[in-house]
Structures are given as structure tokens and as C-alpha cells.
Amino acid sequence: MSTKAKSDKSGQMKWWQLSLLGVACTIGTGYFLGSGIGIKMGGGSVIFMFILAAIGTYIVFDVLARMTGADPQQGSFRAYAKKAFGRCAGFSSGWVYWSSELLIMGSQLTALSLFTRFWFPAVPMWIFATFYALIGLGVILLGTKAFERTEHVFAIIKVSAIVMFLLIAGAAVFGFITGGAHQPRFRAAKETFLPAGLMGSWSSFIYAFYAFGGIEIMGLMATRLKRPEEAPKAGNIMILLLTTIYIASLILALTLIPLNALQGKESPFQVALGSYNLPFVPHAFNAILIIAGFSTMVASLFAVTTILITLAKDHDAPSIFAKKTTGKRQMPLFAIGFTTGGIAVAVLMALLLPEELYEYVTTAAGIMLLLNWLFILLSSGRLLQLSVWGKIKRYLGMALILTAITGTVFHGTSRPGFWISLLFIVIIGLVTWGMSFKWKKSAHAASYRAKELPNPKHDNREGAT
């Protein structure tokens, strides 16, 4: 049974703090590096893909916030999936999300390693991945409050980084800074907007959505709000802020560099400013990219640990993962230990596939994340009283998500990620199917025991007779 959010000391967060936390959990390498892959595949049309992704993100968060306001649950979206469709839905939703966040951690660790090699090109990537994973575990071990404070600081740094890029890039466009390798000019030709045709644009859609990944963590943290009904305000302001700075920075990046200057293993924002005579900018921006990637990696680490605990409390994972240490700071060491094993796999993948890993894992993580968003929209159809316009938005959101997922099949860069995600889905589906027999057997046994128990009232009447 899902655990209701408790109105204790945890409910101290204000809406703007949740909004800032959402920014911190969202802006990361999915945007700073993943957008470069999207631009390579879809060209300038990726700007329109980001607008569509923002609309889809708003629709998903809107219904998630409304469900949270009406019925705050620590398990958030998986609790609503279970309430709407039964235990199988709650089980599979939780493990799909756990798997997606595990893949995101692998993606972030790989991106962090790529950024750090800017300074230390001779060091193997797996050493950097191990280093960042250990620091991330340290932050989680400090507790939820330390996580929140750290992410608030990271949010300010990341927004400041994008503002810094906008100011410098704007100065270059208007001629205040000169010396770039390419003449600043937004190339409005078809070759720029659709370099690989409509198929390339369609395939790039997943990377636009991936840049908004993080709103589900806001759902997990919304139970800490003083007023849960303010969750929609926090999400709407966050999405509006992200969309504005995403679109503005993408337009400037495409103005400063041609498409053939992007290689996919560097941030387009680094490449855009790299040719200007600004010695401090590449290093400062690289440091900020590392902070951004580390922030979202820690957010994913927090999310997988949190969802694993809620799964264990709901008897959808071994109960040992819900156990915490005794003392002043109670820590879920078993859940953290299990997650650490997942991180070890991610580090091993970074060792075995140093170049191809990021694009493959990023695509797979994006697909798994969008499947969880699909769960949210499906659940809202049963748990919320939607107006006609609300129903139209819900179907539009599902259509956008399915369009982004299917687009990954048609491009060589994203197709391996599609097969990776499909493998995860098949495994989770088979485990859910197997567990359903166990749940039915347990329910039947409980019903049989209830029938076998003597009826006290009946016994009393017999004694009186």
C-alpha cells in the first residue's frame, strides 16, 4: 500500500524552492551535450522540436501536479499508476523509472568523463566516472536536506552559465567580440533546417525531450511542499524559464557555428565560443558543464534511491531496501548499496564503450523516461476529472511522446538506444508477469484464510443456544 505523505518536518519547502530544485535536476548534460546530437541529426529544426517537447513536458507536469495536489504520495507517479491500474502498473512503472534513472546516471557519468578529458586527455574515462560516482554517493549519504541545498546552489550556477553564454554569444553576434572562425549568421537554408530531411528531424525529437527530463523528481519532492497545491505554479515557472533559455541559447549557437563544426562529443555551446579569443571562457564553461552534469547525476542517484525505498515499502522490491540505520541520521544503506552496484555497471560500461556509450545510453534513458511520462498521462485519465480541453491536452501529450519514441528507430545514432530500452522493457514486463502469479496466489491464500477464521458472533450465538 502506498505511503501517504506525512505532514511533519518534511513539509517545509516553498514553491520557488521546488522550482529552483526542478531547474537543478533538469539542466544538465542532456541539454549541454545532448542538444549537440540533436542538432547534428535534425539541424535547425531541433529548435521547433524543443518547443514541442516543452509543450509535452508542460502537459505531463500539469497532470502530475494536479494528482499530487489532490493526493500527495511519497511514491508519486508510481503510486498513481497503481491506484489507477493496479499493482502490476505500479510495479512496472517504478522499475521502468528506476531503470531509466540508472541509464541517465551512466549517461551523465560518461558525459562528465568526456568534459574532464578536456583538461586531462590521457586519463581513461572510467577513472573520472569512478571519481564522480564516489562524490555523488557522498552527497546522498549526507541526507535529503544536504541534497536540496546542494542542488539549489547548482541551479543558480547552471542558470548563470546559460546567461553567461547568452551575453557572450550576443556580444559576438552584434560585433562587440570579434575573431571567431565563422561569420555570425543564422543560416536559414533548407540544408541547415533539415540536413537529413524530416526523418532526421523526427529522430532528433527524443533529445529535445531528454533536455527536460527531471520533472518527475519534482513529483517525488512535491510532498515536501508546505502547500502541495502550489506544485503547478512551481512547475509552470520552471518549464517557462527552461524553454526561454533553451531556445535563446540554441538560436545563438546556430548563429555562431555551421552544422559541420559539431562533432557530437563536445557541447555546441563550447564549440560556438571556442574559436573566439577568450582564454578564460573555454575553461570556465567546461567547469560549469561538469557542475551541471554532476548535479543531474546526483539528482538521478537520489531518485533511484528514493523510488527503490518506496518500492520496498510497497512490497514491490525486497523489504531490506526500506530499512534504515538507527541513530540521529537514519540512512537507507541497503538501498544506497544496491544503487551503488548499478553505478558500478555504468562505470564498467564507460570502460568498455568509451566513445559510443553516451549516444546509445542517452537515447535509451530518454525512451525509458518518456515511457514513465506516458504512465503519468494514462493514470491521470482515471484519477482526475478532466475537462474536454484537459482530455485533448492529454491525448496531445501522449501523441508527442509516442512520436519522439518511434523517431529513434529511423536513425543509426539513436537506433541502438531503442533496442537497449526495448531489452529493459521486455525484462521488466516478464518479471511483472511472473510476479502477478505470485500476487494472485497470495491474494487467494489470504481470502481462503479469511473464510476459515471462525466468526465470533456466530460462536457466541452457538454458546447461548
Side-chain angles (χ1 to χ4, degrees):
M1 183 169 57
S2 297
T3 308
K4 263 275 196 180
K6 298 178 181 178
S7 57
D8 55 8
K9 63 180 181 180
S10 65
Q12 298 297 314
M13 190 184 292
K14 297 177 182 178
W15 71 265
W16 63 266
Q17 292 175 313
L18 180 63
S19 190
L20 198 60
L21 183 68
V23 169
C25 295
T26 304
I27 300 177
T29 56
Y31 177 64
F32 286 124
L33 191 57
S35 60
I37 303 173
I39 292 172
K40 274 188 65 182
M41 294 167 66
S45 66
V46 78
I47 294 172
F48 298 103
M49 296 297 103
F50 267 82
I51 294 172
L52 291 175
I55 293 170
T57 303
Y58 162 74
I59 294 170
V60 173
F61 185 80
D62 180 58
V63 295
L64 178 59
R66 288 176 61 185
M67 289 190 289
T68 301
D71 183 22
Q73 295 279 345
Q74 287 183 349
S76 188
F77 44 85
R78 68 160 299 275
Y80 303 134
K82 181 176 181 178
K83 189 175 179 181
F85 298 104
R87 188 168 184 178
C88 286
F91 179 88
S92 56
S93 171
W95 283 107
V96 164
Y97 181 69
W98 188 90
S99 302
S100 71
E101 289 296 326
L102 188 67
L103 288 170
I104 288 171
M105 277 195 294
S107 167
Q108 302 290 359
L109 285 170
T110 304
L112 284 168
S113 303
L114 286 169
F115 291 148
T116 311
R117 286 179 75 178
F118 177 77
W119 293 319
F120 308 101
V123 179
M125 284 178 59
W126 69 270
I127 293 179
F128 295 130
T130 304
F131 172 73
Y132 289 118
L134 290 174
I135 298 177
L137 283 169
V139 173
I140 296 301
L141 288 170
L142 290 175
T144 303
K145 285 191 174 181
F147 165 75
E148 289 177 18
R149 289 169 186 158
T150 304
E151 291 295 335
H152 286 154
V153 173
F154 285 158
I156 295 169
I157 293 173
K158 288 192 278 190
V159 172
S160 300
I162 297 180
V163 171
M164 180 187 78
F165 172 80
L166 293 175
L167 291 174
I168 297 174
V173 169
F174 289 106
F176 297 110
I177 299 174
T178 58
H182 309 283
Q183 181 68 28
R185 180 170 59 89
F186 191 83
R187 298 154 183 84
K190 180 183 176 182
E191 295 76 25
T192 301
F193 271 93
L194 295 169
L198 290 175
M199 283 296 183
S201 181
W202 185 7
S203 299
S204 71
F205 198 8
I206 189 74
Y207 299 102
F209 259 118
Y210 188 64
F212 288 93
I215 59 163
E216 61 290 329
I217 299 177
M218 290 183 71
L220 291 171
M221 297 298 293
T223 56
R224 296 176 63 83
L225 281 171
K226 283 184 178 180
R227 300 176 62 188
E229 65 272 16
E230 291 186 330
K233 183 199 296 187
N236 292 343
I237 289 176
M238 182 207 74
I239 293 169
L240 181 62
L241 172 64
L242 289 182
T243 305
T244 302
I245 60 179
Y246 279 179
I247 299 302
S249 54
L250 281 170
I251 290 173
L252 284 172
L254 288 168
T255 302
L256 293 178
I257 52 173
L259 292 180
N260 57 18
L262 292 174
Q263 300 301 318
K265 295 180 177 64
E266 292 179 289
S267 169
F269 312 105
Q270 272 183 310
V271 176
L273 299 180
S275 62
Y276 287 86
N277 189 24
L278 302 168
F280 71 94
V281 169
H283 297 283
F285 208 79
N286 196 61
I288 291 167
L289 292 177
I290 290 172
I291 290 172
F294 179 75
S295 170
T296 46
M297 189 272 290
V298 172
S300 296
L301 184 55
F302 176 84
V304 294
T305 305
T306 302
I307 205 70
L308 186 59
I309 293 170
T310 60
L311 284 165
K313 286 180 178 179
D314 221 11
H315 306 293
D316 287 337
S319 58
I320 194 172
F321 295 135
K323 291 184 178 180
K324 296 183 179 181
T325 58
T326 56
K328 187 177 179 181
R329 281 201 315 115
Q330 298 181 351
M331 296 300 301
L333 291 182
F334 291 104
I336 292 174
F338 187 72
T339 302
T340 303
I343 294 176
V345 173
V347 172
L348 183 63
M349 291 172 71
L351 172 63
L352 297 175
L353 298 169
E355 298 300 329
E356 298 85 355
L357 178 69
Y358 184 77
E359 292 175 354
Y360 297 167
V361 174
T362 296
T363 306
I367 292 172
M368 300 284 283
L369 197 64
L370 289 187
L371 286 173
N372 211 66
W373 289 15
L374 199 59
F375 266 116
I376 293 171
L377 290 173
L378 290 170
S379 301
S380 70
R382 289 202 173 188
L383 300 182
L384 296 175
Q385 292 293 327
L386 297 173
S387 63
V388 174
W389 174 236
K391 291 177 182 178
I392 292 172
K393 287 196 301 181
R394 176 171 167 266
Y395 285 119
L396 174 62
M398 289 191 286
L400 290 172
I401 287 171
L402 291 172
T403 301
I405 292 173
T406 53
T408 61
V409 180
F410 301 104
H411 199 283
T413 299
S414 55
R415 194 178 300 116
F418 173 83
W419 296 119
I420 292 171
S421 67
L422 185 62
L423 176 63
F424 272 90
I425 295 299
V426 169
I427 292 172
I428 294 170
L430 289 173
V431 172
T432 305
W433 180 68
M435 290 297 292
S436 67
F437 291 101
K438 181 182 177 181
W439 296 328
K440 287 178 183 177
K441 188 175 179 181
S442 299
H444 180 73
S447 176
Y448 180 79
R449 285 195 299 270
K451 290 179 180 178
E452 288 294 305
L453 287 174
N455 188 322
K457 292 182 179 179
H458 180 70
D459 289 351
N460 288 340
R461 284 197 300 270
E462 284 183 342
T465 304

